[in-house]
Amino acid sequence: DLKSISIGDGASLGVGAFAGCTNLSDVQFLGDIVNMDAAVFSGCNRLTSIKIPSTIQIINNRTFSDCTSLARIDIPDNVTRICGSAFSGCNKLATVNAGKNIERIDEYAFSGCTELKDFNLYSETIPLTSKTAFADSYQEYISLHVPVGSVDAYKAAEPWSRFKDIVAIAAKVKLNKSKAIIEKGKREVLTATVTPSTLLDKSVTWKSS
């Protein structure tokens, strides 16, 4: 009957910690998480979204397998490896945003993700990827989005070449602040970060209404 959990700073989640909690729909991380072992949220089939902590470096085996309501996943830049069957059976997963430091994607990592439509991979270097990473996920209907300058390399590599199309990730601009209260006569400095890093022209035009 567990429906929501809040996990404190510095926690380490053991194997299968919340596996099979079929009513769990809300997970909040209140700080940095040291580690998430295998199958931590496996079978949590009412979990529609989750924000993976930025401190996680490895998504272990079957961490989110059979989370059949998960529609989107954002994999932080710190993650370097997605282990076997990490998201297998997530048959409602439509969008994956994978960080720029992914080095390895293991067997069946995204197998059975039959609703997957967009896979955004920000790594300029092609990860070492198992040929079965996208087994039974209708790869021929999925669009792969990769950094500018890496498109041809992905088109020539297995299993990436099996995607429906491989296109460059559109440029994005992110500000260091989304809100600011500025007193009269004071200044506020805004910093714009342009991605992907391979763009030849990173210039930004500023204007105010």
Side-chain angles (χ1 to χ4, degrees):
D1 292 326
L2 184 65
K3 295 180 179 180
S4 65
I5 52 175
S6 298
I7 301 171
D9 188 45
S12 180
L13 308 182
V15 175
F18 301 100
C21 292
T22 54
N23 284 314
L24 183 62
S25 60
D26 180 42
V27 177
Q28 299 291 330
F29 294 104
L30 304 181
D32 295 338
I33 301 301
V34 176
N35 181 57
M36 289 197 300
D37 280 331
V40 170
F41 296 102
S42 179
C44 294
N45 52 27
R46 291 196 181 182
L47 193 63
T48 57
S49 65
I50 187 169
K51 185 176 181 180
I52 299 174
S54 61
T55 48
I56 294 298
Q57 295 182 329
I58 296 175
I59 298 179
N60 272 300
N61 297 311
R62 299 181 58 243
T63 299
F64 299 100
S65 64
D66 299 316
C67 289
T68 54
S69 294
L70 199 63
R72 168 184 169 137
I73 197 74
D74 296 317
I75 299 171
D77 282 338
N78 269 4
V79 172
T80 59
R81 182 176 180 181
I82 303 173
C83 295
S85 300
F87 298 95
S88 64
C90 293
N91 56 12
K92 291 292 189 295
L93 187 62
T95 303
V96 173
N97 295 309
K100 62 184 179 181
N101 293 311
I102 301 291
E103 297 175 356
R104 180 169 174 173
I105 301 176
D106 291 342
E107 62 278 357
Y108 304 106
F110 295 93
S111 67
C113 296
T114 53
E115 292 295 317
L116 191 55
K117 301 300 180 190
D118 291 289
F119 197 98
N120 302 299
L121 180 54
Y122 289 83
S123 175
E124 296 173 10
T125 303
I126 299 173
L128 178 64
T129 310
S130 168
K131 290 184 178 180
T132 63
F134 299 92
D136 302 317
S137 290
Y138 304 125
Q139 237 181 303
E140 64 273 21
Y141 297 108
I142 305 171
S143 293
L144 175 64
H145 305 263
V146 298
V148 175
S150 299
V151 173
D152 290 341
Y154 277 93
K155 284 183 177 180
E158 285 283 343
W160 305 102
S161 59
R162 303 177 199 169
F163 281 85
K164 180 182 75 171
D165 47 24
I166 302 176
V167 297
I169 294 172
K172 293 183 179 180
V173 179
K174 184 177 181 180
L175 293 178
N176 62 320
K177 296 181 179 181
S178 60
K179 293 181 179 180
I181 298 174
I182 308 172
E183 295 180 12
K184 184 177 180 180
K186 301 293 184 180
R187 290 186 176 186
E188 187 73 38
V189 177
L190 296 178
T191 303
T193 301
V194 180
T195 56
S197 61
T198 47
L199 285 173
L200 296 177
D201 182 6
K202 298 189 185 69
S203 59
V204 177
T205 300
W206 297 82
K207 66 180 181 179
S208 171
S209 61

